[in-house]
Amino acid sequence: MNRLLLTVRRNLRIMRRMTAAHVAMSLTYRGEWVVFMAANISVPIISLLIWRTALANGAQLPVDEHYLTTYFVLLSIVTMATSSWMTGFLSRDIRLGRLSSWMVRPASLLLDFVANNLSEKILKTCALVPMVGVLWWIFRDSMSVPSGPGHLAVFAVSVVLAAVLVFTIDILVAALTFWMDDVTALHQARLIIANVLSGAIVPLALMPDWSRGFVDLQPFRYTVSFPVEIVAGHLSNTEILTGLGVQLGYVVGFGVLARLVWAAGIRGYSAVGA
Amino acid sequence: MTPKPVPTPTTATTRTYADPREPIDRTWLRRQTRHLRLWRRFLAQAIVRETHYRAHFVTTLAVGVVQLGLALVPILLLYGYTDDMRGWSQAQVLTLVGVYQVVTGVLAAFVAPNLQRMTTYITEGELDVVLVRPVSSQFYLTLRWINVAELGNVVSGLVLLVFGLVRSGASPNPLQIAQALVLAACGTVLLACVWCAMSFAAFWIQSVNPIGMLYTSLAESGRYPLVFFPFAVRTFLTFVFPVAFASTLPAQALHGGVGRLPVVGGVVLAAVAVTLVRLQWRRGLRSYASASS
């Protein structure tokens, strides 16, 4: 027990140091993050304007103006907070044998990716929050503010869970490099599917009725759409609790799967380039 | 002093770079034809390269088709709830997306592969090698690399365009088709200019990779008719980020003509944009301090 505690503490310490190093590195191009986030927020703004026009034009949507506006204003924050971009890099490290130099170090290579993820998100938050603030102010009349700190806390928990879920799926896809060498196409396919099914392009509430059950239960809903729905939507307390349960289930499920696949891959790994 | 006549090589001797040769003819017309010939070589080389990476070719085609399908999802959903948005039927919007797909496909094939290299050109000094070559450096940097596989998107765009036209029952006359062609050409040139202007900012801010993303995200607005946006945004999308010329106006022309003003306006705007980008390039070159020597 004591040894486990020590390992956890050491890993946390390493991660803090590495995150600081990554932040320092990312600060080289400060302007980049502002441009990145400007790009990140522009597609939700375009969608927001389109769907508001549709409503104003008398389209019979299943959601109201408040839902749509809150959804799209929050969307860029949540997609940013839950995004992960490691598949390509991790897959390259496995293929080119850079994993070898990490295997003799006292920390996992994955820790470096966690640190990178955290550091970039810290900087991105700094760039994105003011933009979303302006957007919020412009549309303040049709924003629904979460009722009470409870809602907000649940939202925060759900965003963290979603971020872990996306990260785990990324590890899972990248770990297949141990057997497949090139996972680019697989990764591409995953991105395309996730784009639609996560609600990052169109709110899942607007999906047609015949797709309801599938859309509500598939894992990608819990990577973006579900956290946003907690603030924007009309979810009842039971629905929120069930949703959190399903989300937690997916996190644990994918986590165990990724752990198994990663461990099996490491065992079968014959160092290239070492 | 008269130049010495250049000896014509006999069949037995091989010409080397050390041999005397005709000086390059620098008249304006000759320069253009030389560049055109060069571009034909680029294209030929790109096609040969594509035959080497067949898997890449097939993947690009497949991804293009899937992305087109994805892009249609919001429009299909939207028209599930309404039949008419501000005077646009679903079929008309499909035509518009087709036009947009053709224009962006052309840009992705001929311009994008170059602008994506802009950061390395400038930060790693590859530009130095370009500057010593006897071609216009701007031409070389904007059009050197061609991604032939992206032309698949042009084909799928054309298919969608024709499908939309047939569905909406429009039968454009030759004048309207000509209008649409001119407008789409202006849209292509304008978008290329905006993208170049954003990428040439690399002279001053070094890393422009995220600017490419910003451009792509903003260009997504071209998938919708201009009237779907509030007035201020419409103005922005016509004059500042002129995506209107790449989709809305050509689609309007195909569905009944747009009159003379937008066509003339488009040509004038395109000419102004090309001039401005040319000036920006010259200014940039003057502030370029070389990264390798």
Side-chain angles (χ1 to χ4, degrees):
Chain A
M1 196 61 217
N2 209 12
R3 272 196 40 201
L4 181 72
L5 203 70
L6 277 178
T7 321
V8 170
R9 272 182 55 187
R10 198 192 58 209
N11 274 331
L12 281 178
R13 204 176 58 237
I14 294 174
M15 214 172 67
R16 209 191 60 224
R17 295 266 172 87
M18 287 206 297
T19 310
H22 272 289
V23 169
M25 230 157 18
S26 311
L27 276 175
T28 325
Y29 297 112
R30 280 168 295 256
E32 254 189 10
W33 305 106
V34 178
V35 181
F36 253 130
M37 290 302 102
N40 193 30
I41 201 172
S42 40
V43 175
I45 293 180
I46 294 169
S47 311
L48 171 62
L49 295 174
I50 297 299
W51 286 100
R52 277 175 72 96
T53 306
L55 268 180
N57 216 45
Q60 296 298 317
L61 303 186
V63 292
D64 59 0
E65 197 188 339
H66 274 74
Y67 182 94
L68 275 179
T69 314
T70 316
Y71 190 95
F72 281 118
V73 170
L74 282 183
L75 187 60
S76 53
I77 291 253
V78 175
T79 45
M80 183 278 287
T82 63
S83 62
S84 166
W85 48 88
M86 67 186 300
T87 305
F89 297 102
L90 181 53
S91 155
R92 187 197 57 195
D93 286 357
I94 296 172
R95 195 173 55 249
L96 301 184
R98 288 187 206 168
L99 192 57
S100 310
S101 67
W102 275 92
M103 290 174 84
V104 293
R105 292 181 195 183
S108 164
L109 167 66
L110 297 180
L111 220 54
D112 186 48
F113 282 103
V114 177
N116 171 263
N117 197 295
L118 285 179
S119 71
E120 290 201 8
K121 278 175 186 170
I122 291 170
L123 293 176
K124 284 175 179 172
T125 310
C126 296
L128 184 61
V129 166
M131 296 183 203
V132 171
V134 171
L135 207 57
W136 189 297
W137 187 78
I138 293 174
F139 292 108
R140 61 191 178 283
D141 292 336
S142 33
M143 296 296 296
S144 43
V145 185
S147 52
H151 247 82
L152 221 58
V154 174
F155 170 70
V157 169
S158 176
V159 168
V160 173
L161 282 178
V164 176
L165 181 56
V166 178
F167 196 79
T168 331
I169 296 176
D170 256 21
I171 295 180
L172 194 59
V173 175
L176 293 179
T177 312
F178 284 119
W179 297 276
M180 290 174 58
D181 286 338
D182 190 359
V183 292
T184 322
L186 196 67
H187 177 52
Q188 188 77 260
R190 194 217 118 197
L191 286 184
I192 289 173
I193 296 169
N195 247 335
V196 177
L197 289 184
S198 67
I201 292 184
V202 186
L204 294 182
L206 292 171
M207 290 286 175
D209 286 331
W210 51 263
S211 65
R212 246 328 20 116
F214 167 72
V215 164
D216 286 345
L217 285 174
Q218 43 87 22
F220 292 110
R221 178 184 173 214
Y222 297 90
T223 61
V224 174
S225 177
F226 179 67
V228 189
E229 285 170 36
I230 292 178
V231 176
H234 324 284
L235 296 185
S236 66
N237 283 343
T238 1
E239 277 173 318
I240 290 180
L241 279 181
T242 330
L244 275 181
V246 176
Q247 194 177 26
L248 195 63
Y250 274 126
V251 170
V252 173
F254 274 102
V256 170
L257 195 61
R259 175 98 192 97
L260 288 176
V261 172
W262 179 257
I266 290 274
R267 268 200 304 280
Y269 169 74
S270 54
V272 185
Chain B
M1 190 176 102
T2 49
K4 267 187 256 175
V6 179
T8 40
T10 54
T11 38
T13 58
T14 321
R15 264 187 73 183
T16 68
Y17 284 105
D19 287 337
R21 43 175 53 214
E22 298 270 8
I24 291 178
D25 190 341
R26 289 186 187 280
T27 58
W28 187 83
L29 195 66
R30 284 299 179 84
R31 263 202 334 249
Q32 306 314 311
T33 45
R34 207 151 46 86
H35 281 101
L36 202 64
R37 229 171 42 228
L38 203 56
W39 187 81
R40 260 199 347 245
R41 289 286 177 85
F42 294 160
L43 184 63
Q45 190 214 26
I47 293 170
V48 170
R49 199 174 52 231
E50 214 60 61
T51 58
H52 289 186
Y53 300 105
R54 272 168 298 234
H56 168 254
F57 183 75
V58 175
T59 339
T60 313
L61 288 189
V63 169
V65 171
V66 174
Q67 271 169 348
L68 178 60
L70 258 186
L72 290 178
V73 168
I75 289 155
L76 296 179
L77 282 177
L78 186 64
Y79 279 94
Y81 296 111
T82 176
D83 293 331
D84 176 282
M85 271 271 278
R86 301 234 167 129
W88 286 77
S89 70
Q90 187 190 40
Q92 286 171 332
V93 177
L94 290 183
T95 315
L96 178 146
V97 178
V99 177
Y100 175 81
Q101 180 86 357
V102 171
V103 170
T104 45
V106 169
L107 287 174
F110 297 113
V111 183
N114 302 282
L115 296 184
Q116 278 156 4
R117 293 164 201 250
M118 212 61 214
T119 303
T120 46
Y121 269 131
I122 290 172
T123 54
E124 290 175 23
E126 280 175 40
L127 180 56
D128 297 4
V129 188
V130 178
L131 288 177
V132 297
R133 289 184 181 160
V135 319
S136 151
S137 52
Q138 192 180 3
F139 159 80
Y140 190 93
L141 256 75
T142 321
L143 298 167
R144 167 66 184 88
W145 299 101
I146 298 167
N147 189 350
V148 183
E150 292 285 353
L151 290 177
N153 289 333
V154 175
V155 176
S156 60
L158 281 173
V159 171
L160 187 65
L161 191 161
V162 172
F163 175 78
L165 279 180
V166 172
R167 274 281 298 273
S168 66
S171 50
N173 59 35
L175 175 70
Q176 288 162 348
I177 295 179
Q179 279 182 340
L181 280 176
V182 172
L183 283 167
C186 291
T188 314
V189 172
L190 280 167
L191 281 184
C193 283
V194 170
W195 201 355
C196 281
M198 287 164 90
S199 300
F200 292 166
F203 277 119
W204 295 277
I205 60 173
Q206 309 303 329
S207 166
V208 286
N209 287 334
I211 286 192
M213 281 188 61
L214 180 61
Y215 165 83
T216 330
S217 308
L218 284 175
E220 287 293 306
S221 55
R223 296 186 188 279
Y224 304 95
L226 218 49
V227 285
F228 284 17
F229 294 101
F231 182 75
V233 181
R234 253 181 262 172
T235 317
F236 177 80
L237 293 180
T238 310
F239 296 107
V240 185
F241 193 87
V243 83
F245 291 93
S247 61
T248 306
L249 288 169
Q252 264 177 344
L254 287 176
H255 286 112
V258 285
R260 215 172 295 152
L261 183 67
V263 181
V264 176
V267 173
V268 172
L269 265 183
V272 170
V274 169
T275 318
L276 284 180
V277 168
R278 187 92 192 106
L279 287 177
Q280 187 203 10
W281 173 256
R282 298 232 169 123
R283 276 301 297 273
L285 268 193
R286 252 183 283 150
S287 68
Y288 173 65
S290 168
S292 66
S293 53

